[in-house]
């Protein structure tokens, strides 16, 4: 089954084709992402109306480009998948409208995909994918969640952020230190040059039981340290390193707790922060020490992309699931409400 995937939940326009006949990494026939970073940079954040308009301009050309790279035409498609939520409602409607129209014109099924399920399943596109059950750490944009995956489509929320997500904390901390938009990747790059231990920030909510997260207090601690420092380039790098170490350690501690609580030995990490080099190194070392396994998608598939939507949609379409011809989006959507997928991965 050849499935076109469309991602327009926020400020990236993503398109991909996934072929279930090939499976694994070989199944990804082509994918492309257009980022709106330059468009939103002058505002210091995503402007929803501008994001929607840019999706309108870029989506159809990107579909044509991706199909050409895959060596396919629209007539070769067996289904269409699109991000139905959560996300910005205007941006979601652009992708949903195009996907539903294309599916209707081609007389093929279409399905709305949960954005976070797309992230969760992205590592399963790689060779040697993990088998359920496993624990998933989802660290994407406004989400930081620990999820028990009993089977594909059977999810239990173990813990989530009570305020700022890890990605938000990266972006907001970078902004308060004067780093350019988007701040998270800039801060992570700066941390590579910092000296560990010069600034030792608390690991929030790790001294009490539970699997929830909170990063707003950490952000405040960084602000106080920054205002009280000489604000030199070296100090900025040291603060960035101290902040990153605190976030990474916090995530790792909670992941270990979640694995112990569920009795699983496999951890899946997905989402934009999942591309962070130090987080990957830390979790790999922890997995080796525990005798377990940790799985990541390739870095290009950590951020928002059409490939994860095409793959997640293909699994559900193969299981016989699809929607009606109406255009439905769900800006707020509980992943636990999704139906199970009976088909094998």
């Amino acid at each position: 089954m050849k499935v076109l995937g469309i991602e327009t939940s926020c400020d990236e326009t993503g398109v991909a084709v996934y072929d279930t006949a090939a499976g694994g990494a070989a199944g990804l026939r082509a994918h492309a992402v257009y980022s709106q970073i330059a468009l939103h940079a002058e505002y210091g954040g995503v402007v929803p109306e501008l994001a929607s308009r840019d999706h309108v301009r870029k989506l159809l050309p990107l579909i044509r480009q991706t199909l050409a790279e895959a060596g396919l035409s629209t007539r070769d498609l067996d289904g269409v998948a699109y991000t139905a939520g959560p996300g910005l409602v205007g941006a979601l409607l652009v992708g949903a409208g195009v996907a539903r129209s294309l599916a209707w014109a081609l007389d093929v099924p279409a399905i709305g995909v949960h954005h976070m399920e797309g992230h969760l399943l992205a590592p399963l596109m790689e060779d040697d994918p993990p088998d359920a059950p496993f624990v998933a750490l989802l660290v994407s944009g406004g989400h930081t969640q620990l999820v028990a995956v009993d089977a594909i489509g059977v999810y239990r929320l173990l813990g989530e952020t009570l305020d700022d997500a890890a990605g938000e904390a990266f972006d907001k901390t970078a902004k308060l230190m004067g780093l350019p938009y988007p701040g998270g990747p800039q801060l992570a790059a700066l941390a590579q040059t910092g000296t560990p231990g010069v600034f030792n920030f608390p690991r929030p909510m790790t001294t009490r039981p539970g699997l929830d997260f909170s990063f707003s207090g950490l952000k405040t601690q960084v602000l106080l340290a920054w205002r009280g420092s000489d604000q030199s380039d070296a100090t900025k790098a040291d603060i960035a390193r101290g902040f990153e170490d605190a976030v990474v350690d916090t995530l790792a501690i909670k992941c270990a707790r979640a694995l112990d609580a569920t009795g699983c030995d496999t951890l899946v990490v997905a989402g934009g922060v999942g591309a962070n080099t130090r987080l990957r190194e830390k979790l790999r070392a922890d997995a080796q020490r525990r005798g377990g396994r940790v799985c990541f998608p390739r870095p290009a598939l950590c951020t928002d992309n059409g490939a994860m939507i095409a793959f997640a949609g293909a699994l559900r379409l193969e299981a016989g699931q699809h929607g009606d011809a109406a255009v439905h989006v769900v800006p707020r959507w509980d992943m636990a409400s999704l139906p199970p997928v009976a088909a094998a991965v």
Side-chain angles (χ1 to χ4, degrees), residues 49-176:
E49 180 61 24
L50 293 181
S52 302
R53 293 179 184 180
D54 217 38
H55 287 311
V56 171
R57 285 191 290 266
K58 300 297 183 182
L59 184 52
L60 289 178
L62 208 61
I63 290 174
R64 296 189 189 101
Q65 173 190 326
T66 305
L67 286 172
E69 290 178 0
L72 302 171
S73 72
T74 54
R75 293 185 299 275
D76 297 312
L77 296 174
D78 302 303
V80 181
Y82 63 93
T83 302
L88 303 175
V89 63
L92 291 169
L93 283 169
V94 175
V98 170
R100 285 292 177 186
S101 299
L102 184 58
W104 180 83
L106 297 173
D107 193 24
V108 298
I111 189 165
V113 172
H114 193 292
H115 179 78
M116 295 310 296
E117 183 179 47
H119 277 300
L120 187 154
L121 298 180
L124 277 64
M125 275 188 285
E126 307 296 347
D127 294 328
D128 191 24
D131 294 321
F134 56 79
V135 170
L137 171 66
L138 303 179
V139 274
S140 171
H143 298 84
T144 297
Q145 299 176 330
L146 281 165
V147 178
V149 180
D150 298 319
I152 306 305
V154 182
Y155 308 125
R156 291 181 291 117
L157 181 65
L158 301 174
E160 62 185 339
T161 184
L162 303 179
D163 40 59
D164 287 345
E168 286 179 314
F170 264 94
D171 289 338
K172 291 178 180 179
T173 300
K175 187 173 183 178
L176 68 85

Side-chain angles (χ1 to χ4, degrees), residues 174-201:
K175 187 173 183 178
L176 68 85
M177 292 171 62
L179 296 176
Y181 175 87
Q186 301 280 347
L187 189 146
L190 182 62
Q192 296 292 331
T193 66
T195 302
V198 175
F199 289 88
N200 189 17
F201 297 113

Side-chain angles (χ1 to χ4, degrees), residues 309-342:
I309 303 304
F311 179 71
L315 292 181
R316 292 191 173 275
L317 288 170
E318 282 200 320
Q321 300 177 15
H322 59 82
D324 56 31
V327 176
H328 296 292
V329 297
V330 191
R332 295 182 181 274
W333 191 359
D334 182 2
M335 196 167 66
S337 67
L338 295 173
V341 177

